[in-house]
Amino acid sequence: MPRDLLMSKENAADTPPAVLADEAGSILIADDHPLFRDALFQVVTETFADHATHQAQNFDEAMAAAREDEALELILLDLNMPGMNGFNGLIALRNEVPMVPIVVVSATETAQTASQVLTFGASGFLPKSLSKADMADALRRVLDGDIYLPPDLEKQLEEGRALTPEEQALVEQLGALTNQQRRVLEMLVAGKSNKIIAYELDIAESTVKAHVSAILRKLGVTSRTQAVITASKIIDQL
């Protein structure tokens, strides 16, 4: 990683307060690694001085910020921070703020990962090894309405394989579930009963049953067991 991207403040272990701005909107940085979060903070504040900048260290904080900030214009999202649960976090944020572009930042720099995040609705994919200047350029392009991939990954996707029909079907099935349905499905995979799911989600057991019925229909299966098997395939693919 370039040296200038690793520069950090002395208090990088703490989440800095938002940088307030007089104009424009705001940008959310969601990453659990203090050094890299601080590096992204520097890139964003230097590139978009007229924007407010917020930070989150896990998925719950990111979701709360997305729900509360009506001026949000861009989200920088780490795929591997706590609470993300694979691509579920990206999909949940995409559903919560469908008009806000999300740029995934990741240490996993494969064409397949880049392809999947775009399939799930991201507006860009930034490997963490990019230089500060390249990151700034990429974020400008996304805010201008473009989809960004590094040239080398874009070339690999053009020359390499697309998702298989089975992978694409799994992607579409997962994307069809609501946030609550995904949470119920995750609990089904964990072997929890309707009663336990209702208790943990603080909803009626009849509501759980309705969610299960919807999940079976959207996954194209007829039993809880089949739903769990399909969900396991999705988790394995993602």
Side-chain angles (χ1 to χ4, degrees), residues 185-192 228:
L185 180 58
E186 290 166 11
M187 292 181 175
L188 291 178
V189 173
K192 297 180 180 180
V228 169

Side-chain angles (χ1 to χ4, degrees), residues 44-61:
V44 169
T45 54
E46 291 174 9
T47 307
F48 306 103
D50 60 344
H51 283 65
T53 304
H54 307 283
Q55 300 191 42
Q57 302 180 74
N58 55 55
F59 171 74
D60 289 339
E61 290 182 4

Side-chain angles (χ1 to χ4, degrees), residues 142-198:
V142 170
L143 274 181
D144 285 341
D146 292 339
I147 301 295
Y148 179 81
L149 279 179
D152 58 333
L153 291 183
E154 189 171 15
K155 182 177 181 181
Q156 288 180 44
L157 286 178
E158 291 174 353
E159 296 176 349
R161 73 170 184 87
L163 294 178
T164 66
E166 181 180 15
E167 289 171 341
Q168 185 62 43
L170 293 176
V171 165
E172 293 173 357
Q173 288 172 329
L174 182 59
L177 301 179
T178 66
N179 293 343
Q180 192 78 318
Q181 288 166 1
R182 281 194 296 275
R183 295 177 70 187
V184 171
L185 180 58
E186 290 166 11
M187 292 181 175
L188 291 178
V189 173
K192 297 180 180 180
S193 66
N194 286 358
K195 184 175 182 179
I196 296 299
I197 294 173

